[in-house]
């Protein structure tokens, strides 16, 4: 047993070392948030981890202590009570401890669930910019209805302006995730989901498809680039000036299975996003009725 | 003609990959070797009479264990292939298609063809002995269940070399698993392989519920039943509620694919959401089905090796039942990020967290069973002690995942992978390994080697942490699950390399287990007492290995831990009650029908996979013929005469 403990400690220190060597917390992007939503999520992760540790750590210590103390040795001075099998007080104690911890975690969870509901608009003086996201086999299409441009595997937006992502899929379901800005949301055909995010500072952030969608799913990473408002406006102008238009035929070709580089388009086909959603019939509206209303006011705007 | 054959073969057999040719060769050679050995030693009739047609629950249990260990090997090789591919960025060891097939089959095999049958093997080996019964309630059905599992698993496994593996993940979400995006036969192998073995699982659930409720030894009230049998009862109840959902879900998916219905595709008015809901209504309880028996196992082992009564028996029973009920109200925690709205997420977040409460209580009870006990650390106990910290931490990350808004960041990432492996390996696998080494002497009459067992434990234990702890971090670094490769600038490679090393350490642990078994067969440490661990429950009162009829005289039970109490009384010099006279024992006869009928199911399934009605129809006819043959067979039982019982008992006890 002694040998066992020694091995365990070596193991633990090895684990800590790998953690430290792995380039520290900057790479652990979920814990290095750059947007309001992701910051709240990180707080929540820390709070709930802390609450869990409150019960886990004593249990781990107790385990080692008990195993050590009551292991069978000839000269053991520990008590031995083979018939002792019940103690109401003790049992009440350890039914109560987890109940209390779970109540605490539960309360925090409820609060944050309403606060961070992804379809809820963020409170901010600026009006949100709308970006329509379509997951395709195996690439991401981003449409900017107000700017009348589109990009593939590359999304850019101004910092400190709320972004209203509207998401759907024209391929098997996927999941849209920019960890440093906030948690993921599924993209599903026949339905438009909403995800509100914001970037607090400029930077290039990793984005990816998180839900397996077939052969080249691993290639569905994209760059999310937050810039200043001026840079963003210049970027839009530049795309308008230099890029080809996205046509219906162009979209058909793009939607064919296959991987893609970054591409930019000026000009969008009329209501492409709404038509992609509608293509699958309008049956798909689990969750809130909001989905339908959104699609409607998008149609008014478009 | 020749061209036709060539074209057919090139579609039928999977080609173009050295790994697959390797597998072809290995399969071919092993078949030849088996046939040769069996013929040379004239073992075919022995195999048929003693094993393939057996209805003895102990032999069925042994076959379950062997099959599941083979599946552990297959699933483990899959795992190591995946880990090799991920060891370094931008490797091209496996193509994306191949990687997708491998992670799908790995998941399915580990859960459905490794964990489930190993669990059923333990049910069969232990439950009747532990409750003082001579058999299970329906021995014929029991054999049928085994063979359905076996042939279902075979059907699933041939997809690797014939036709192509399924590659849409172990839960096969549509539309990806629909005919449009998965036109190949892999998905049909998935449906039929799981469907056939799933029916077997459902029947096993029913069988053990009836066995436990109806066949306990006189005096064994439910509240005097050993904890493992309780856990089997709760697991079986969960099985009979969950598995029909799976059967229907897969049937609908098959109808979608085969007949072009649109249950799960939007364009015909169906909805993939319905599939996702249904599959998790089975899938979540399923993970509890496999963990509950492990809880029972740990309860038995902790009490035995601490030489102390199990602490908090009643809370343990209550906790088991609470877990199996609650497991049905949590399925939507698998898709918090699907936009169901805050109300739904709150409900499923809270209902999930509630499961942590009874689970936590069980941990305290185990700890306090050891408290003031005398702990001897033999291999079964070593696995149990290793389990506790592993499961506690895995449970904690489970609670973290159930915090819905935080799960928006964990979901579909390696954080999730690390969590479920921690509970599946640290809980289920460690638990079943503990059970195997604990009950091995009862089943085979000899002990497993302790030294090699400890090596196996340390390899698995250390390998586990090295493999999966880095994956928690990788998840937080944004690495998503099921990616077949990643780039150099992602910054993920160091941790992935460490993780791969850990995977191989576990592989070495498995080799130690194989070595342990072979070594112990060769240098047998016979168990002549029938009670090698100083056990507490009925199974340790009979000789090892147990005779065909288990108990010469059905025992009478007065208290929990009845054998332990009896030993205490004997120590105090009290003589045991006089045994009643022996009587002839009523036993079921062997039957070849379960084997043949399940094989017919295999034929039906294979036919449907390739859309060959000429093959399926005879299969269906065969199944019906088997049913008729069985219902007109009246010679299904016999009696073991008293003389023979006396002889067997004398031989078994002679060495004491
Ligand atoms: C030698 C130890 C093992 C290693 C190294 C290992 C490794 C892996 C890897 C690399 C994946 C794929 C992750 C992904 O890309 O999605 C995976 C998935 C999985 N494993 Fe294991 N595994 C091991 C043992 C087990 C055991 C014992 C079980 C079950 C009792 C299990 C159940 C699963 C399941 C259910 C999945 C999910 C499959 C899916 O997402 O489709 N594994 N494992
Ligand atoms: Cu949806
Ligand atoms: Cu679950």
């Amino acid at each position: 047993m002694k040998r066992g403990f020694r091995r365990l400690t070596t193991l633990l220190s090895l684990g800590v070392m790998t953690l430290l060597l792995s380039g520290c917390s900057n790479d652990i992007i979920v814990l290095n948030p750059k947007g309001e939503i992701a910051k709240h999520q990180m707080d929540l992760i820390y709070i709930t981890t802390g609450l869990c540790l409150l019960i886990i750590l004593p249990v781990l210590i107790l385990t080692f202590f008990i195993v050590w103390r009551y292991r069978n040795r000839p000269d053991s001075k520990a008590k031995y009570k083979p018939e002792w099998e019940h103690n109401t007080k003790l049992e009440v104690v350890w039914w109560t401890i987890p109940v209390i911890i779970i109540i605490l975690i539960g309360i925090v969870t409820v609060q944050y669930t309403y606060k961070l509901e992804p379809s809820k608009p963020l409170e901010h003086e600026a009006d949100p910019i709308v970006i329509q996201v379509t997951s395709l086999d195996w690439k991401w299409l981003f449409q900017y209805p107000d700017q009348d441009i589109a990009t593939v595997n590359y999304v850019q937006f101004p910092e400190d302006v709320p972004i209203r992502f509207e998401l759907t899929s024209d391929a098997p379901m996927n999941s849209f995730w920019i960890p440093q800005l906030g948690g993921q949301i599924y993209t599903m055909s026949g339905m438009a989901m909403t995800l509100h995010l914001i970037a607090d500072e400029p930077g290039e952030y990793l984005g990816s498809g998180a839900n397996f969608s077939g052969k080249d799913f691993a290639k569905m990473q994209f760059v999310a680039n937050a810039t200043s408002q001026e840079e963003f406006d210049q970027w839009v102008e530049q795309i308008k000036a230099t890029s080809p238009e996205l046509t219906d035929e162009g979209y058909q070709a793009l939607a064919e299975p296959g991987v893609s580089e970054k591409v930019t388009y000026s000009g969008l086909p009329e209501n492409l996003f709404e038509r992609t959603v509608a293509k699958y019939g309008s049956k798909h509206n689990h969750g809130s009725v909001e989905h339908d209303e959104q699609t409607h006011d998008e149609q008014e705007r478009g | 003609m020749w061209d036709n054959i060539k074209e057919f073969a090139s579609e039928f057999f999977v080609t173009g990959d050295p790994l697959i040719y390797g597998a072809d060769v290995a399969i071919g050679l092993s078949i030849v070797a088996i046939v040769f050995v069996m013929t040379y030693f004239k073992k075919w009739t022995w195999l048929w009479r003693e094993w393939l047609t057996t209805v003895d629950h102990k032999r069925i249990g042994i076959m379950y264990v062997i099959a599941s260990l083979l599946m552990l090997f297959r699933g483990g090789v899959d795992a190591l292939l995946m880990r090799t591919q991920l060891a370094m960025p931008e490797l091209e060891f496996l193509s994306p298609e191949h990687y997708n097939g491998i992670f799908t089959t790995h998941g399915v095999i580990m859960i459905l063809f490794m964990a489930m049958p190993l669990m059923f093997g333990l049910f069969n080996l232990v439950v009747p002995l532990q409750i003082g019964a001579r058999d299970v309630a329906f021995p014929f059905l029991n054999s049928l269940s085994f063979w359905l599992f076996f042939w279902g698993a075979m059907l699933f496994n041939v997809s690797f070399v014939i036709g192509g593996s399924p590659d849409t993940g172990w839960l096969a979400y549509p539309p990806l698993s629909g005919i449009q995006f998965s036109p190949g036969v892999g998905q049909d192998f998935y449906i039929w392989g799981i469907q056939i073995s799933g029916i077997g699982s459902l029947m096993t659930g029913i069988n053990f519920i009836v066995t436990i409720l109806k066949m306990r030894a006189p005096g064994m009230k439910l509240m005097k039943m050993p904890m493992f049998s309780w856990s089997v009862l709760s697991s079986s109840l969960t099985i009979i509620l969950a598995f029909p959902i799976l059967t229907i879900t897969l049937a609908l998916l098959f109808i979608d694919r085969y007949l072009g219905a649109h249950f799960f595709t939007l364009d015909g008015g169906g909805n993939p959401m319905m599939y996702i809901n249904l599959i998790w209504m089975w899938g979540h309880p399923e993970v509890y089905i496999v963990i509950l028996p492990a809880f029972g196992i740990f309860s038995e082992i902790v009490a035995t090796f601490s030489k102390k009564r199990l602490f908090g028996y009643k809370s343990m029973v209550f906790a088991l039942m609470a877990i199996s009920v609650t497991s049905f109200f949590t399925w939507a925690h698998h898709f918090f990020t699907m936009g169901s709205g805050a109300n739904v997420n709150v409900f499923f977040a809270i209902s999930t967290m509630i499961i942590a409460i009874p689970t936590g209580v069980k941990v305290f009870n185990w700890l306090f069973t050891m408290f003031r006990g005398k702990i001897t650390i033999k291999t079964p106990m070593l696995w149990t002690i290793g389990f506790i910290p592993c499961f506690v931490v895995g449970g904690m990350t489970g609670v973290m995942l159930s915090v819905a808004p935080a799960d928006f960041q964990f979901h579909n990432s390696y954080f999730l992978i690390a969590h479920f492996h921690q509970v599946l390996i640290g809980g289920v696998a460690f638990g079943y390994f503990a059970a195997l080494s604990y009950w091995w002497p009862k089943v085979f009459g000899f002990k497993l080697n302790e030294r090699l067992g400890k090596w196996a434990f340390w390899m698995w234990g250390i390998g586990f942490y090295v493999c999966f702890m880095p994956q928690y971090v990788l998840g937080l670094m944004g690495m998503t699950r099921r990616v077949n490769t990643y780039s150099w600038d992602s910054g993920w490679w160091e941790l992935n390399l460490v993780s791969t090393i850990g995977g191989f350490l576990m592989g070495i642990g498995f080799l130690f287990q194989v070595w342990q078994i072979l070594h112990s067969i060769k240098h047998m440490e016979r168990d002549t007492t029938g009670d090698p661990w100083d056990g507490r429950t009925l199974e340790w009162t009979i000789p090892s290995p147990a005779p065909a009829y288990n108990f010469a005289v059905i025992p009478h039970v007065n208290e929990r831990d009845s054998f332990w109490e009896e030993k205490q009384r004997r120590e105090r010099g009290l003589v045991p009650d006089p045994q009643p006279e022996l009587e002839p024992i009523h036993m079921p006869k062997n039957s070849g029908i379960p084997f043949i009928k399940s094989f017919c199911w295999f034929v039906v399934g294979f036919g449907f996979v390739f859309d060959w009605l000429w093959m399926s129809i005879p299969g269906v006819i065969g199944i019906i013929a088997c049913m008729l043959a069985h219902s007109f067979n009246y010679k299904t039982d016999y009696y073991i005469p008293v003389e023979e019982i006396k002889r067997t008992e004398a031989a078994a006890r002679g060495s004491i």
Side-chain angles (χ1 to χ4, degrees), chain B residues 72 76 79-80 82-83 86 99 103-104 106-108 110-111 114-115 169-171 414 417 420-421 424-425 428-429 460 467-468 471 480-483 503 506-507:
Chain B
L72 177 61
L80 295 184
M82 285 189 285
R83 272 316 328 164
L86 293 178
Y99 186 87
F103 80 65
T104 303
H106 167 76
V108 173
M110 285 300 199
I111 300 248
M114 190 288 278
W170 75 286
L171 289 176
Y414 262 78
I417 305 280
F420 75 66
H421 281 94
L424 279 172
I425 297 183
V428 177
W460 271 98
C467 181
F468 292 104
Q471 293 187 7
T480 46
R481 72 193 294 206
R482 295 172 178 178
V483 291
M506 284 188 272

Coordinates of all heavy atoms in Angstrom, one line a residue, chain B residues 72 76 79-80 82-83 86 99 103-104 106-108 110-111 114-115 169-171 414 417 420-421 424-425 428-429 460 467-468 471 480-483 503 506-507, ligand 1:
Chain B
L72 N -14.0 -6.3 -25.3 CA -13.2 -5.3 -24.7 C -11.9 -5.1 -25.5 O -11.3 -4.0 -25.7 CB -12.9 -5.7 -23.3 CG -11.9 -4.7 -22.5 CD1 -12.5 -3.3 -22.4 CD2 -11.6 -5.3 -21.1
G76 N -10.9 -1.9 -27.3 CA -9.7 -1.3 -26.9 C -8.7 -1.0 -28.0 O -8.1 0.0 -28.1
A79 N -9.8 2.1 -29.6 CA -9.4 3.2 -28.8 C -8.0 3.6 -29.1 O -7.6 4.8 -29.2 CB -9.7 3.0 -27.3
L80 N -7.1 2.6 -29.1 CA -5.7 2.9 -29.3 C -5.4 3.4 -30.7 O -4.6 4.3 -30.9 CB -4.9 1.6 -28.9 CG -5.0 1.2 -27.5 CD1 -4.0 0.0 -27.2 CD2 -4.6 2.4 -26.5
M82 N -7.5 5.2 -32.4 CA -7.9 6.7 -32.3 C -6.9 7.5 -31.6 O -6.5 8.6 -32.1 CB -9.2 6.8 -31.6 CG -10.4 6.4 -32.4 SD -11.9 6.8 -31.5 CE -12.0 5.7 -30.2
R83 N -6.4 7.0 -30.5 CA -5.4 7.8 -29.7 C -4.1 7.9 -30.5 O -3.5 8.9 -30.4 CB -5.1 7.1 -28.4 CG -6.0 7.5 -27.2 CD -6.4 8.9 -26.9 NE -5.6 10.0 -27.2 CZ -6.0 11.2 -27.3 NH1 -7.2 11.6 -27.1 NH2 -5.1 12.2 -27.6
L86 N -4.5 10.7 -32.9 CA -4.6 12.0 -32.2 C -3.3 12.4 -31.5 O -3.2 13.5 -31.0 CB -5.7 12.1 -31.3 CG -7.1 12.0 -31.9 CD1 -8.2 12.1 -30.9 CD2 -7.3 13.2 -32.9
Y99 N -11.6 7.0 -39.3 CA -11.6 7.5 -37.9 C -13.1 7.5 -37.4 O -13.4 7.1 -36.3 CB -11.0 8.9 -37.8 CG -10.9 9.4 -36.4 CD1 -9.8 9.0 -35.6 CD2 -12.0 10.1 -35.8 CE1 -9.8 9.5 -34.3 CE2 -11.9 10.5 -34.5 CZ -10.8 10.2 -33.7 OH -10.7 10.6 -32.4
F103 N -14.6 5.5 -34.2 CA -15.1 6.0 -32.9 C -16.5 5.6 -32.7 O -17.0 5.4 -31.6 CB -14.9 7.6 -32.7 CG -15.8 8.5 -33.4 CD1 -17.1 8.5 -33.1 CD2 -15.3 9.3 -34.4 CE1 -18.0 9.4 -33.7 CE2 -16.1 10.2 -35.0 CZ -17.5 10.3 -34.7
T104 N -17.2 5.4 -33.8 CA -18.6 4.9 -33.7 C -18.6 3.5 -33.2 O -19.3 3.2 -32.2 CB -19.3 5.0 -35.1 OG1 -19.3 6.4 -35.5 CG2 -20.8 4.6 -34.9
H106 N -16.3 1.9 -31.6 CA -15.7 1.9 -30.3 C -16.8 2.2 -29.2 O -17.0 1.4 -28.3 CB -14.6 2.9 -30.1 CG -14.2 3.2 -28.7 ND1 -13.4 2.3 -28.0 CD2 -14.4 4.2 -27.9 CE1 -13.2 2.8 -26.8 NE2 -13.8 3.9 -26.7
G107 N -17.6 3.3 -29.4 CA -18.6 3.6 -28.5 C -19.7 2.5 -28.3 O -20.0 2.1 -27.2
V108 N -20.2 2.1 -29.5 CA -21.2 1.1 -29.4 C -20.7 -0.2 -28.8 O -21.4 -0.8 -27.9 CB -21.7 0.8 -30.9 CG1 -22.7 -0.4 -30.9 CG2 -22.3 2.0 -31.5
M110 N -18.2 -0.7 -26.7 CA -17.8 -0.6 -25.3 C -19.1 -0.6 -24.5 O -19.2 -1.3 -23.4 CB -17.0 0.6 -25.0 CG -15.6 0.5 -25.5 SD -14.8 -0.9 -24.6 CE -13.1 -0.5 -24.8
I111 N -20.1 0.1 -24.8 CA -21.3 0.2 -24.0 C -22.2 -1.1 -24.2 O -22.6 -1.7 -23.2 CB -22.1 1.4 -24.4 CG1 -21.3 2.7 -24.1 CG2 -23.4 1.4 -23.6 CD1 -21.7 3.5 -23.0
M114 N -19.7 -4.7 -24.6 CA -18.7 -5.0 -23.6 C -19.3 -4.9 -22.2 O -19.5 -5.8 -21.5 CB -17.5 -4.1 -23.8 CG -16.3 -4.4 -22.9 SD -16.4 -4.1 -21.2 CE -16.0 -2.4 -21.1
A115 N -19.7 -3.6 -21.9 CA -20.3 -3.4 -20.5 C -21.5 -4.2 -20.3 O -21.7 -4.9 -19.2 CB -20.5 -1.9 -20.3
G169 N -21.5 8.1 -35.2 CA -21.5 8.3 -33.7 C -22.4 7.2 -33.1 O -23.3 6.6 -33.7
W170 N -22.1 6.9 -31.8 CA -22.8 5.8 -31.2 C -24.2 6.0 -31.0 O -25.0 5.0 -30.7 CB -22.0 5.4 -29.9 CG -22.3 6.2 -28.7 CD1 -21.8 7.4 -28.4 CD2 -23.1 5.9 -27.5 NE1 -22.2 7.9 -27.2 CE2 -23.0 6.9 -26.6 CE3 -23.8 4.7 -27.2 CZ2 -23.6 6.9 -25.4 CZ3 -24.5 4.8 -25.9 CH2 -24.4 5.8 -25.1
L171 N -24.7 7.2 -31.1 CA -26.2 7.4 -31.0 C -26.8 7.8 -32.3 O -28.1 7.9 -32.4 CB -26.5 8.5 -29.9 CG -26.2 7.9 -28.5 CD1 -26.5 9.0 -27.5 CD2 -27.1 6.7 -28.2
Y414 N -13.8 17.9 -25.3 CA -13.1 16.8 -24.6 C -13.4 16.8 -23.1 O -13.2 15.8 -22.5 CB -11.6 16.9 -24.9 CG -11.3 15.9 -26.0 CD1 -11.6 16.2 -27.4 CD2 -10.9 14.6 -25.8 CE1 -11.5 15.3 -28.4 CE2 -10.7 13.7 -26.8 CZ -11.0 14.0 -28.1 OH -10.9 13.1 -29.1
I417 N -15.8 14.1 -22.9 CA -15.2 12.8 -23.1 C -14.5 12.4 -21.8 O -14.7 11.2 -21.4 CB -14.2 12.9 -24.2 CG1 -14.8 13.4 -25.5 CG2 -13.5 11.5 -24.4 CD1 -15.6 12.4 -26.3
F420 N -17.2 11.3 -19.1 CA -17.9 10.0 -19.2 C -17.0 8.8 -19.1 O -17.3 7.7 -18.6 CB -19.0 9.9 -20.3 CG -18.5 9.7 -21.7 CD1 -17.8 8.6 -22.1 CD2 -18.7 10.7 -22.6 CE1 -17.4 8.4 -23.4 CE2 -18.3 10.6 -23.9 CZ -17.7 9.5 -24.3
H421 N -15.7 9.0 -19.6 CA -14.8 7.9 -19.4 C -14.4 7.7 -17.9 O -14.2 6.6 -17.4 CB -13.5 8.1 -20.2 CG -13.7 7.8 -21.6 ND1 -14.1 8.6 -22.6 CD2 -13.6 6.6 -22.2 CE1 -14.2 8.0 -23.7 NE2 -13.9 6.7 -23.6
L424 N -17.3 5.8 -16.6 CA -17.4 4.5 -17.2 C -16.2 3.6 -16.9 O -16.4 2.4 -16.6 CB -17.6 4.6 -18.7 CG -19.0 4.9 -19.2 CD1 -19.0 5.2 -20.7 CD2 -19.9 3.8 -18.9
I425 N -15.0 4.1 -17.0 CA -13.8 3.3 -16.7 C -13.7 3.2 -15.2 O -13.6 2.1 -14.6 CB -12.6 3.8 -17.4 CG1 -12.8 3.8 -18.9 CG2 -11.4 3.0 -17.0 CD1 -11.6 4.2 -19.7
V428 N -17.7 1.8 -14.0 CA -18.2 0.5 -14.5 C -17.1 -0.5 -14.7 O -17.1 -1.6 -14.2 CB -18.9 0.8 -15.9 CG1 -19.4 -0.5 -16.5 CG2 -20.1 1.7 -15.6
A429 N -16.0 -0.1 -15.4 CA -15.0 -1.1 -15.8 C -14.3 -1.5 -14.5 O -14.1 -2.7 -14.2 CB -14.0 -0.5 -16.7
W460 N -3.9 0.2 -15.1 CA -5.1 0.8 -15.5 C -5.3 2.1 -14.7 O -5.7 3.1 -15.3 CB -6.3 -0.1 -15.1 CG -6.7 -1.1 -16.2 CD1 -6.4 -2.4 -16.3 CD2 -7.6 -0.8 -17.3 NE1 -6.9 -3.0 -17.3 CE2 -7.7 -2.0 -18.0 CE3 -8.3 0.3 -17.7 CZ2 -8.5 -2.2 -19.1 CZ3 -9.1 0.2 -18.9 CH2 -9.2 -1.1 -19.6
C467 N -4.3 9.5 -19.1 CA -5.1 9.6 -20.4 C -6.2 10.7 -20.3 O -6.3 11.5 -21.2 CB -5.7 8.2 -20.7 SG -6.6 8.3 -22.3
F468 N -6.9 10.7 -19.2 CA -8.1 11.5 -19.2 C -8.0 12.8 -18.5 O -8.8 13.7 -18.8 CB -9.3 10.7 -18.7 CG -9.7 9.6 -19.7 CD1 -9.4 8.3 -19.4 CD2 -10.3 9.9 -20.9 CE1 -9.7 7.3 -20.4 CE2 -10.6 8.9 -21.8 CZ -10.3 7.6 -21.6
Q471 N -7.5 15.5 -20.9 CA -8.6 15.8 -21.8 C -9.6 16.8 -21.2 O -10.3 17.5 -21.9 CB -9.4 14.5 -22.1 CG -8.5 13.5 -22.9 CD -9.2 12.3 -23.4 OE1 -10.5 12.2 -23.3 NE2 -8.5 11.4 -24.0
T480 N -12.8 20.1 -29.7 CA -14.1 19.4 -29.8 C -14.0 17.9 -30.0 O -13.0 17.5 -30.5 CB -14.9 20.0 -30.9 OG1 -14.1 20.1 -32.1 CG2 -15.4 21.4 -30.6
R481 N -14.9 17.2 -29.5 CA -14.9 15.7 -29.6 C -15.0 15.3 -31.1 O -15.6 16.1 -31.9 CB -16.0 15.1 -28.7 CG -17.4 15.3 -29.3 CD -18.5 14.9 -28.4 NE -18.5 13.5 -28.0 CZ -19.6 12.9 -27.7 NH1 -20.7 13.6 -27.6 NH2 -19.6 11.6 -27.3
R482 N -14.6 14.1 -31.4 CA -14.8 13.5 -32.7 C -14.0 14.1 -33.8 O -14.2 13.8 -34.9 CB -16.3 13.4 -33.0 CG -17.0 12.5 -32.1 CD -18.5 12.6 -32.2 NE -19.1 11.6 -31.3 CZ -20.4 11.5 -31.2 NH1 -21.2 12.1 -32.0 NH2 -20.9 10.6 -30.3
V483 N -13.1 15.1 -33.5 CA -12.2 15.6 -34.5 C -11.2 14.5 -34.8 O -10.7 13.9 -33.9 CB -11.5 16.9 -34.2 CG1 -12.6 18.0 -34.1 CG2 -10.8 16.8 -32.9
G503 N -3.4 6.2 -22.7 CA -4.2 5.1 -23.3 C -3.5 3.8 -23.4 O -4.0 2.7 -23.1
M506 N -3.1 1.9 -20.2 CA -4.3 1.1 -20.0 C -4.3 -0.2 -20.8 O -4.7 -1.3 -20.3 CB -5.6 1.9 -20.2 CG -5.9 2.8 -19.1 SD -7.5 3.6 -19.3 CE -7.1 5.0 -20.3
G507 N -3.8 -0.1 -22.0 CA -3.7 -1.2 -22.9 C -2.8 -2.3 -22.2 O -3.0 -3.5 -22.2
Ligands
LIG1 C1 -8.5 2.0 -23.1 C2 -9.3 2.9 -22.6 C3 -10.1 3.8 -23.5 C4 -9.6 4.8 -24.4 C5 -8.1 5.2 -24.6 C6 -10.7 5.4 -25.0 C7 -10.7 6.5 -25.9 C8 -11.7 7.0 -26.6 C9 -11.7 8.0 -27.6 C10 -10.4 8.6 -28.2 C11 -13.0 8.3 -27.9 C12 -13.4 9.3 -29.1 C13 -13.6 10.6 -28.7 C14 -14.2 11.4 -29.8 O1 -13.4 11.8 -30.7 O2 -15.4 11.6 -29.8 C15 -13.8 7.6 -27.1 C16 -15.2 7.6 -27.2 C17 -16.0 6.8 -26.4 N1 -15.7 5.9 -25.5 FE1 -13.8 5.3 -25.0 N2 -11.8 4.8 -24.5 C18 -11.5 3.8 -23.6 C19 -12.3 3.0 -22.9 C20 -13.7 3.1 -22.9 C21 -14.6 2.3 -22.1 C22 -14.2 1.2 -21.1 C23 -15.9 2.7 -22.4 C24 -17.2 2.2 -21.9 C25 -17.4 1.4 -20.8 C26 -15.8 3.7 -23.4 C27 -16.9 4.4 -23.9 C28 -16.8 5.3 -24.9 C29 -18.0 6.0 -25.5 C30 -19.4 5.7 -25.1 C31 -17.5 6.9 -26.4 C32 -18.3 7.9 -27.2 C33 -18.3 7.4 -28.6 C34 -19.0 8.5 -29.4 O3 -19.0 9.6 -29.0 O4 -19.5 8.1 -30.4 N3 -14.5 3.9 -23.7 N4 -13.0 6.8 -26.3

